[in-house]
């Protein structure tokens, strides 16, 4: 829906800027040119901080939001755009002055009372409300019986708050969640303040120590109990559990400290200030269409998934935990780089599985056997889902990004050996810690750390239309492509191989 509100006439006159400068409906939608979602985000400014407030109204099940964005203008800004969809925007101020604004397509176009010069800091304040149950073309809201949670990846965060919604523009976050006292508001990071109000609501404030991508925001309201526990070296762990399900979920939640020790042995010190699980109070596939999402420091889960024995959930829990390193601390520069998240998460999740002797759903019991099976499907997956580092919006979460990505990393490991591979991994994580990295960054790190020209080898694996030979396994073969296979089976396989 398109909305248009005027700034007061007196301010307009002062600023001498006709509101007509806000582009009319139908004007070309801009964007940062992401290979998968070209219209997402902007490169006109660099988001530095988001201070978000969410107030939950149980009577209407809606949310009142305030977003305060500070950013640096990278060009002169007579107008600026935030991504926004389904937000009922009431007011926008830039540097304290009311600004003109209009929502259209998936953008909130703002015209400050006076242009912002290139290089200047600006502060954009947006007041809005949102209905998590609204029917939108896509959404980042997760509806629960007594509140909500957030699953923004890849392009849903801007249905929750207006933002520069591309993974390449990370920022610092604080989140304040206000809820009636029988409910509890939570968000990423650490709780820094609890403020009860006379009207029977309480505001809880959370600060994320490390920068975060918009897609990794978590904010949730529900009938929750918070369970604190200890991780390695005193890392504070926090699980946020629907109170009625706390006892059922405890066996799964108690697995995290042991998983952290394993992950730290492979990847180095846990990069964030805390970790924990948020099994939101819904198993409805319509609430979100997958098992879990690595929202930073507080991974969202379907609760029933976690009620299974360890052998059925451990590798996927490892997959999500590993996203703290690959995905959250080191975030893909663009959505074409998603294999860096999912390939690494699946590789370590599967290593964990087979090391512990848990066969996967295909009956494979070693990583090598599993990789041989994925290898055989290599050309079919390239045909159906594109090469590993060339996803489209339709193929983004296909298995090609998951076990397909793990296969690329396995091939690299077979080529250079475990020791060099581990050094590449550690160097990549260290270089891009709390930043973003692209596929090219991974290739550069592989070349430099190994002292070998590996990027040509990796490019064939990542961008080739055909599956390259597997180093060390000349006997491995690739099945011929069946052009009609995806159509007959309802599409290429999707999602993580750790399940
Ligand atoms: N990144 C999540 C995981 O692999 C899965 C998300 C899949 N779907 C989505 N629309 N984000 O743990
Ligand atoms: Zn994943």
């Amino acid at each position: 829906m398109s909305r248009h509100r005027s700034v007061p006439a007196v301010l307009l006159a002062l600023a001498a800027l006709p509101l007509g400068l806000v582009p009319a409906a139908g004007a070309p939608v801009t964007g940062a040119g992401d290979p998968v979602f070209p219209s997402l985000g902007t490169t006109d400014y660099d988001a530095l901080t988001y201070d978000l407030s969410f107030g939950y109204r149980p009577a209407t099940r809606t949310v009142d939001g305030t977003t305060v964005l500070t950013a640096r203008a990278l060009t002169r800004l007579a107008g600026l755009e935030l991504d926004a969809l389904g937000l009922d925007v009431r007011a926008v101020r830039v540097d304290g002055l009311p600004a003109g604004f209009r929502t259209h397509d998936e953008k909130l176009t703002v015209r400050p009372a006076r242009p912002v010069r290139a290089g200047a800091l600006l502060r954009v304040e947006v007041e809005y409300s949102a209905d998590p149950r609204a029917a939108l073309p896509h959404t980042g809201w997760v509806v629960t019986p007594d509140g909500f949670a957030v699953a923004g990846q890849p392009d849903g965060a801007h249905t929750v708050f207006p933002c520069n919604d591309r993974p390449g523009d990370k920022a610092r976050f604080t989140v304040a969640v206000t809820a009636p006292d029988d409910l509890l508001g939570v968000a990423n990071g650490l709780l820094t303040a609890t403020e009860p109000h006379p009207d029977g609501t309480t505001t809880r404030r959370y600060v994320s120590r490390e920068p975060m991508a918009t897609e990794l925001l978590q904010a949730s309201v529900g009938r929750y109990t918070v369970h604190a526990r200890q991780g390695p070296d005193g890392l504070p762990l926090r699980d946020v559990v629907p109170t009625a399900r706390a006892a059922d979920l405890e066996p799964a939640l108690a697995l995290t400290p042991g998983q952290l020790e394993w992950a730290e042995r492979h990847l180095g010190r846990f990069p964030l200030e805390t970790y924990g699980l948020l099994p939101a109070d819904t198993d409805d596939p319509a609430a979100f269409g997958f098992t879990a999402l690595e929202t930073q420091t507080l991974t969202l889960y379907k609760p029933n998934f976690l009620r299974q024995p360890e052998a059925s959930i451990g590798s996927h829990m490892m997959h999500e935990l590993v996203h703290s390193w690959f995905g959250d601390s080191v975030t893909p520069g663009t959505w074409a780089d998603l294999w860096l998240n999912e390939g690494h998460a699946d590789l370590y999740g599967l290593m964990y599985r087979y090391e512990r002797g848990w066969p996967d759903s295909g009956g494979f019991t070693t990583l090598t056997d599993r990789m041989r099976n994925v290898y055989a499907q290599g050309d079919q997956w390239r045909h159906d889902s594109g090469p590993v580092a060339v996803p489209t919006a339709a193929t983004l979460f296909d298995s090609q990004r998951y076990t397909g990505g793990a296969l690329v990393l396995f091939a690299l490991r077979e080529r250079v050996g475990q020791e060099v591979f581990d050094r590449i991994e550690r160097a990549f994580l260290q270089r891009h810690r709390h930043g973003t990295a692209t596929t090219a960054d991974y290739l550069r790190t592989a070349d430099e750390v190994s002292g070998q020209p590996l990027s040509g080898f990796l490019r064939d694996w990542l961008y080739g239309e055909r599956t390259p030979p597997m180093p060390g396994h000349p006997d491995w073969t690739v099945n011929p492509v069946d052009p009609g296979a995806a159509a007959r089976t309802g599409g290429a396989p999707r999602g993580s191989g750790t399940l």
Side-chain angles (χ1 to χ4, degrees):
M1 194 176 70
S2 179
R3 311 186 132 255
H4 196 164
R5 303 277 172 84
S6 305
V7 301
V10 59
L11 277 169
L12 263 185
L14 266 175
L17 287 166
L19 201 57
L21 284 182
V22 179
V29 179
T30 49
D34 183 276
V36 181
F37 299 106
S39 60
L40 275 186
T42 177
T43 52
D44 286 352
Y45 56 84
D46 174 15
L48 303 175
T49 63
Y50 291 93
D51 293 304
L52 308 182
S53 306
F54 299 101
Y56 181 60
R57 291 181 185 271
T60 53
R61 299 175 70 183
T62 57
V63 176
D64 295 324
T66 304
T67 292
V68 181
L69 162 68
T70 64
R72 186 173 299 283
L74 299 178
T75 178
R76 180 179 180 274
L77 298 173
L80 61 114
E81 281 186 342
L82 291 90
D83 297 301
L85 172 64
L87 305 182
D88 190 359
V89 178
R90 278 193 295 274
V92 178
R93 284 179 290 278
V94 176
D95 294 332
L97 295 178
F101 66 91
R102 198 169 70 80
T103 54
H104 60 100
D105 304 290
E106 299 197 15
K107 298 289 181 183
L108 168 62
T109 298
V110 175
R111 198 170 52 70
R114 51 178 82 105
V116 180
R117 67 185 161 71
L121 288 178
L122 67 152
R123 175 187 160 95
V124 183
E125 242 176 292
V126 182
E127 277 172 37
Y128 65 97
S129 58
D131 180 354
R133 293 182 296 163
L136 298 172
H138 60 99
T139 186
W141 293 103
V142 172
V143 178
T144 59
D146 43 24
F148 64 87
V150 174
Q153 188 187 63
D155 60 347
H158 63 277
T159 68
V160 177
F161 67 109
C163 55
N164 187 15
D165 200 4
R166 59 186 183 88
D169 192 8
K170 294 170 74 166
R172 295 193 184 269
F173 278 76
T174 70
V175 184
V177 189
T178 304
D181 289 341
D182 58 332
L183 303 175
L184 185 75
V186 297
N188 319 84
L190 294 175
L191 178 68
T192 57
T194 302
E195 297 160 9
H197 306 294
D199 67 352
T201 67
T202 297
T203 300
R204 288 183 172 77
R205 296 183 187 280
Y206 298 85
V207 177
S208 288
R209 185 181 68 191
E210 313 301 349
M212 185 168 81
T214 53
E215 52 131 348
L216 300 174
L217 175 83
Q218 187 52 265
S220 183
V221 166
R223 243 166 267 279
Y224 288 132
T225 300
V226 176
H227 280 284
R229 62 188 98 227
Q230 280 268 312
D233 301 309
L235 179 75
L237 304 181
R238 162 191 66 156
D239 297 307
V240 178
V241 200
T243 305
R245 303 182 186 230
D248 281 359
L249 294 170
E250 180 55 26
L253 302 175
L255 299 172
T256 297
Q259 293 169 357
L260 266 162
E261 279 175 29
W262 188 93
E264 287 196 331
R265 277 206 302 282
H266 289 269
L267 303 173
R269 186 60 89 80
F270 183 77
L272 305 166
E273 69 268 46
T274 183
Y275 187 72
L277 273 50
L278 169 66
D281 199 7
T282 179
D283 288 291
D284 186 351
F288 57 104
F290 38 94
T291 298
L293 180 64
E294 64 270 22
T295 46
Q296 192 158 312
T297 70
L298 186 58
T299 299
L300 177 70
Y301 269 94
K302 288 274 174 61
N304 279 349
F305 173 76
L306 295 171
R307 292 175 54 199
Q308 305 177 82
E310 184 182 7
S312 306
I313 62 176
S315 68
H316 196 81
M317 287 180 75
M318 182 58 69
H319 173 112
E320 298 304 332
L321 177 59
V322 167
H323 275 315
S324 303
W325 284 264
F326 292 101
D328 296 7
S329 169
V330 181
T331 302
T334 77
W335 288 111
D337 307 309
L338 184 75
W339 76 274
L340 287 169
N341 284 12
E342 304 303 348
H344 282 105
D346 255 13
L347 176 71
Y348 292 98
L350 288 171
M351 283 166 55
Y352 188 65
R353 168 188 287 285
Y354 302 125
E355 208 177 289
R356 308 209 130 209
W358 301 327
D360 61 32
S361 52
F364 299 104
T365 55
T366 68
L367 183 66
T368 304
D369 287 350
R370 177 66 179 273
M371 289 292 108
R372 182 180 188 147
N373 175 268
V374 173
Y375 184 82
Q377 303 172 71
D379 284 357
Q380 186 73 47
W381 286 12
R382 281 166 203 267
H383 175 269
D384 296 345
S385 302
V388 175
V390 194
T392 65
T395 64
L396 186 59
F397 292 102
D398 284 4
S399 298
Q400 178 71 310
R401 271 21 100 196
Y402 287 78
T403 39
L407 184 69
V408 175
L409 297 167
F410 179 84
L412 175 63
R413 203 180 78 178
E414 293 300 280
R415 160 108 183 217
V416 300
Q418 183 76 54
E419 190 266 332
V420 174
F421 178 74
D422 286 342
R423 280 201 283 123
I424 293 169
E425 295 280 89
R426 296 283 188 122
F428 177 74
L429 289 170
Q430 188 54 43
R431 286 179 182 190
H432 303 287
R433 188 177 160 82
H434 305 319
T436 59
T438 61
T439 300
D441 291 320
Y442 190 81
L443 271 46
R444 188 174 315 115
T445 303
D447 285 344
E448 291 175 6
V449 170
S450 68
Q452 305 169 36
L454 293 170
S455 46
F457 168 83
L458 284 168
R459 263 196 297 273
D460 288 347
W461 273 95
L462 291 162
Y463 297 104
E465 302 290 334
R466 306 307 294 255
T467 308
M470 177 59 77
H473 300 279
D475 55 320
W476 286 18
T477 55
V478 181
N479 299 336
V481 173
D482 173 351
R488 277 198 311 279
T489 58
R494 289 180 74 79
S496 170
T498 57
L499 289 174

